[in-house]
Amino acid sequence: MVMLRPMTAVYITRGSQILLLYRIGSRVVADSYTGSAGGHMEADEFRSPRDCVLRELREETGLTEDDLQGLILRYVTLRQKGGEIRQNYYYFAELKNCATVHDSTEGRLEWHDIHALDGLPMPVTARHVIDHYLAVGRFDHKLYGEITTADGPVFAALDDF
């Protein structure tokens, strides 16, 4: 029986920097860099991944939607691993100048130059999303779907039709 694992993450930018969390001791991913905040959806959040990402952001960093500019869902990804379909909803936002980021309860928050992310260890799907965002996604406002295969990622713009 295949189980679903729906999760969210938000990547917060500040100019040419991106806030990454070095997540330590996660049950789902090895110690690595992930989004600024994120986690598993609660039962009442299944129809609104935005609610989940805002809850996780508040719990893990002390930030609220008022501290962000342009919070938008940019990627929905699927990957099968360990008998689960891992479904991720990735949001991006810009940190407002007046906002202060607090220490995270999930690991170390660190600002990184967006042009220097290649060597950082990341979960497979997060790496695919970041690479696509840097090459394509940051230059448009499309919502992308991604399926992770053994041969690599497959991205498609999710057009409304």
Short mmCIF file of all heavy atoms in Angstrom, two decimals, residues 17-45:
data_model
loop_
_atom_site.label_atom_id
_atom_site.label_comp_id
_atom_site.label_asym_id
_atom_site.label_seq_id
_atom_site.Cartn_x
_atom_site.Cartn_y
_atom_site.Cartn_z
N GLN A 17 19.94 37.11 -2.13
CA GLN A 17 20.17 36.06 -1.12
C GLN A 17 18.90 35.25 -0.91
O GLN A 17 17.79 35.74 -1.13
CB GLN A 17 20.59 36.68 0.21
CG GLN A 17 21.93 37.39 0.17
CD GLN A 17 22.31 37.87 1.55
OE1 GLN A 17 21.52 38.55 2.22
NE2 GLN A 17 23.51 37.53 1.98
N ILE A 18 19.09 34.02 -0.46
CA ILE A 18 17.97 33.14 -0.14
C ILE A 18 18.22 32.54 1.24
O ILE A 18 19.34 32.19 1.59
CB ILE A 18 17.79 32.05 -1.22
CG1 ILE A 18 16.47 31.30 -1.04
CG2 ILE A 18 18.99 31.12 -1.28
CD1 ILE A 18 16.06 30.51 -2.26
N LEU A 19 17.16 32.48 2.03
CA LEU A 19 17.25 31.95 3.38
C LEU A 19 17.01 30.44 3.34
O LEU A 19 15.96 29.99 2.89
CB LEU A 19 16.21 32.62 4.29
CG LEU A 19 16.24 32.26 5.76
CD1 LEU A 19 17.55 32.71 6.41
CD2 LEU A 19 15.05 32.90 6.48
N LEU A 20 18.01 29.68 3.77
CA LEU A 20 17.91 28.23 3.81
C LEU A 20 18.03 27.75 5.24
O LEU A 20 18.73 28.34 6.06
CB LEU A 20 19.01 27.59 2.96
CG LEU A 20 19.01 27.92 1.48
CD1 LEU A 20 20.20 27.27 0.79
CD2 LEU A 20 17.70 27.49 0.82
N LEU A 21 17.36 26.66 5.51
CA LEU A 21 17.42 26.02 6.82
C LEU A 21 18.30 24.79 6.70
O LEU A 21 18.06 23.93 5.85
CB LEU A 21 16.02 25.61 7.27
CG LEU A 21 15.95 24.80 8.57
CD1 LEU A 21 16.37 25.65 9.76
CD2 LEU A 21 14.56 24.24 8.77
N TYR A 22 19.35 24.73 7.53
CA TYR A 22 20.12 23.50 7.62
C TYR A 22 19.39 22.64 8.64
O TYR A 22 19.49 22.85 9.85
CB TYR A 22 21.57 23.74 8.02
CG TYR A 22 22.38 22.47 7.93
CD1 TYR A 22 22.73 21.95 6.68
CD2 TYR A 22 22.76 21.78 9.06
CE1 TYR A 22 23.45 20.76 6.58
CE2 TYR A 22 23.47 20.59 8.97
CZ TYR A 22 23.81 20.09 7.74
OH TYR A 22 24.51 18.91 7.64
N ARG A 23 18.58 21.71 8.12
CA ARG A 23 17.70 20.88 8.95
C ARG A 23 18.50 19.72 9.50
O ARG A 23 19.16 19.00 8.76
CB ARG A 23 16.53 20.39 8.11
CG ARG A 23 15.43 19.75 8.93
CD ARG A 23 14.22 19.45 8.08
NE ARG A 23 13.50 20.62 7.62
CZ ARG A 23 12.54 21.24 8.31
NH1 ARG A 23 12.20 20.80 9.50
NH2 ARG A 23 11.93 22.29 7.81
N ILE A 24 18.42 19.56 10.81
CA ILE A 24 19.19 18.53 11.50
C ILE A 24 18.24 17.58 12.21
O ILE A 24 17.33 18.01 12.92
CB ILE A 24 20.14 19.18 12.54
CG1 ILE A 24 21.06 20.18 11.85
CG2 ILE A 24 20.94 18.12 13.29
CD1 ILE A 24 21.76 21.13 12.80
N GLY A 25 18.42 16.28 11.99
CA GLY A 25 17.66 15.27 12.72
C GLY A 25 16.24 15.07 12.24
O GLY A 25 15.39 14.61 13.00
N SER A 26 15.96 15.36 10.99
CA SER A 26 14.62 15.16 10.45
C SER A 26 14.35 13.66 10.26
O SER A 26 15.24 12.89 9.93
CB SER A 26 14.49 15.87 9.10
OG SER A 26 13.31 15.46 8.44
N ARG A 27 13.09 13.26 10.44
CA ARG A 27 12.71 11.87 10.20
C ARG A 27 12.58 11.58 8.71
O ARG A 27 12.56 10.43 8.30
CB ARG A 27 11.37 11.50 10.82
CG ARG A 27 10.93 12.20 12.02
CD ARG A 27 9.56 11.69 12.47
NE ARG A 27 8.46 12.11 11.62
CZ ARG A 27 7.66 13.13 11.87
NH1 ARG A 27 7.84 13.86 12.92
NH2 ARG A 27 6.67 13.43 11.07
N VAL A 28 12.47 12.62 7.87
CA VAL A 28 12.17 12.42 6.46
C VAL A 28 13.38 12.63 5.57
O VAL A 28 13.56 11.92 4.58
CB VAL A 28 11.02 13.36 6.03
CG1 VAL A 28 10.70 13.19 4.56
CG2 VAL A 28 9.78 13.08 6.87
N VAL A 29 14.24 13.62 5.88
CA VAL A 29 15.40 13.90 5.04
C VAL A 29 16.67 13.87 5.88
O VAL A 29 16.65 14.16 7.08
CB VAL A 29 15.28 15.28 4.33
CG1 VAL A 29 14.11 15.30 3.38
CG2 VAL A 29 15.20 16.41 5.31
N ALA A 30 17.77 13.52 5.23
CA ALA A 30 19.07 13.55 5.91
C ALA A 30 19.42 15.00 6.23
O ALA A 30 18.84 15.93 5.67
CB ALA A 30 20.12 12.93 5.00
N ASP A 31 20.37 15.21 7.13
CA ASP A 31 20.81 16.56 7.46
C ASP A 31 21.20 17.26 6.16
O ASP A 31 22.10 16.80 5.44
CB ASP A 31 22.00 16.52 8.42
CG ASP A 31 21.63 15.96 9.79
OD1 ASP A 31 20.43 15.69 10.02
OD2 ASP A 31 22.53 15.80 10.62
N SER A 32 20.50 18.35 5.85
CA SER A 32 20.72 19.04 4.58
C SER A 32 20.01 20.38 4.60
O SER A 32 19.28 20.71 5.54
CB SER A 32 20.19 18.18 3.42
OG SER A 32 18.83 17.89 3.60
N TYR A 33 20.22 21.16 3.53
CA TYR A 33 19.59 22.46 3.40
C TYR A 33 18.23 22.31 2.75
O TYR A 33 18.09 21.65 1.72
CB TYR A 33 20.47 23.40 2.56
CG TYR A 33 21.67 23.88 3.32
CD1 TYR A 33 22.88 23.23 3.22
CD2 TYR A 33 21.58 24.98 4.17
CE1 TYR A 33 24.00 23.66 3.93
CE2 TYR A 33 22.68 25.42 4.89
CZ TYR A 33 23.88 24.76 4.76
OH TYR A 33 24.97 25.20 5.48
N THR A 34 17.24 22.93 3.35
CA THR A 34 15.87 22.90 2.84
C THR A 34 15.36 24.34 2.78
O THR A 34 16.10 25.28 3.00
CB THR A 34 14.97 22.05 3.76
OG1 THR A 34 14.93 22.63 5.06
CG2 THR A 34 15.47 20.62 3.86
N GLY A 35 14.07 24.48 2.51
CA GLY A 35 13.46 25.80 2.48
C GLY A 35 13.59 26.50 3.82
O GLY A 35 13.97 25.90 4.82
N SER A 36 13.26 27.76 3.85
CA SER A 36 13.37 28.57 5.06
C SER A 36 12.53 27.99 6.19
O SER A 36 12.89 28.09 7.36
CB SER A 36 12.92 30.00 4.77
OG SER A 36 13.54 30.50 3.61
N ALA A 37 11.40 27.42 5.84
CA ALA A 37 10.52 26.75 6.80
C ALA A 37 9.63 25.80 6.02
O ALA A 37 9.45 25.95 4.82
CB ALA A 37 9.67 27.77 7.56
N GLY A 38 9.05 24.84 6.72
CA GLY A 38 8.13 23.92 6.06
C GLY A 38 7.92 22.67 6.88
O GLY A 38 8.55 22.48 7.91
N GLY A 39 7.01 21.84 6.39
CA GLY A 39 6.74 20.60 7.10
C GLY A 39 5.51 19.92 6.57
O GLY A 39 5.00 20.23 5.49
N HIS A 40 5.01 18.99 7.36
CA HIS A 40 3.88 18.15 6.98
C HIS A 40 2.55 18.88 7.17
O HIS A 40 2.37 19.62 8.14
CB HIS A 40 3.87 16.87 7.81
CG HIS A 40 5.09 16.06 7.60
ND1 HIS A 40 6.22 16.19 8.36
CD2 HIS A 40 5.37 15.11 6.67
CE1 HIS A 40 7.14 15.35 7.93
NE2 HIS A 40 6.66 14.70 6.90
N MET A 41 1.62 18.59 6.27
CA MET A 41 0.29 19.16 6.38
C MET A 41 -0.50 18.46 7.47
O MET A 41 -0.44 17.24 7.60
CB MET A 41 -0.46 19.00 5.06
CG MET A 41 0.01 19.88 3.97
SD MET A 41 -1.10 19.64 2.56
CE MET A 41 -0.24 20.64 1.38
N GLU A 42 -1.24 19.25 8.21
CA GLU A 42 -2.21 18.72 9.17
C GLU A 42 -3.48 18.36 8.39
O GLU A 42 -3.69 18.86 7.28
CB GLU A 42 -2.52 19.77 10.24
CG GLU A 42 -1.30 20.24 11.03
CD GLU A 42 -0.70 19.18 11.92
OE1 GLU A 42 -1.43 18.24 12.31
OE2 GLU A 42 0.50 19.27 12.22
N ALA A 43 -4.33 17.53 8.96
CA ALA A 43 -5.53 17.07 8.27
C ALA A 43 -6.41 18.23 7.78
O ALA A 43 -6.96 18.17 6.68
CB ALA A 43 -6.34 16.14 9.18
N ASP A 44 -6.51 19.29 8.54
CA ASP A 44 -7.36 20.42 8.15
C ASP A 44 -6.69 21.33 7.12
O ASP A 44 -7.30 22.31 6.68
CB ASP A 44 -7.80 21.22 9.36
CG ASP A 44 -6.63 21.87 10.10
OD1 ASP A 44 -5.50 21.37 10.00
OD2 ASP A 44 -6.87 22.88 10.79
N GLU A 45 -5.46 21.02 6.69
CA GLU A 45 -4.74 21.85 5.73
C GLU A 45 -4.65 21.23 4.33
O GLU A 45 -4.09 21.84 3.42
CB GLU A 45 -3.31 22.12 6.24
CG GLU A 45 -3.28 22.91 7.53
CD GLU A 45 -1.92 22.94 8.20
OE1 GLU A 45 -1.11 22.01 7.98
OE2 GLU A 45 -1.68 23.89 8.95
#
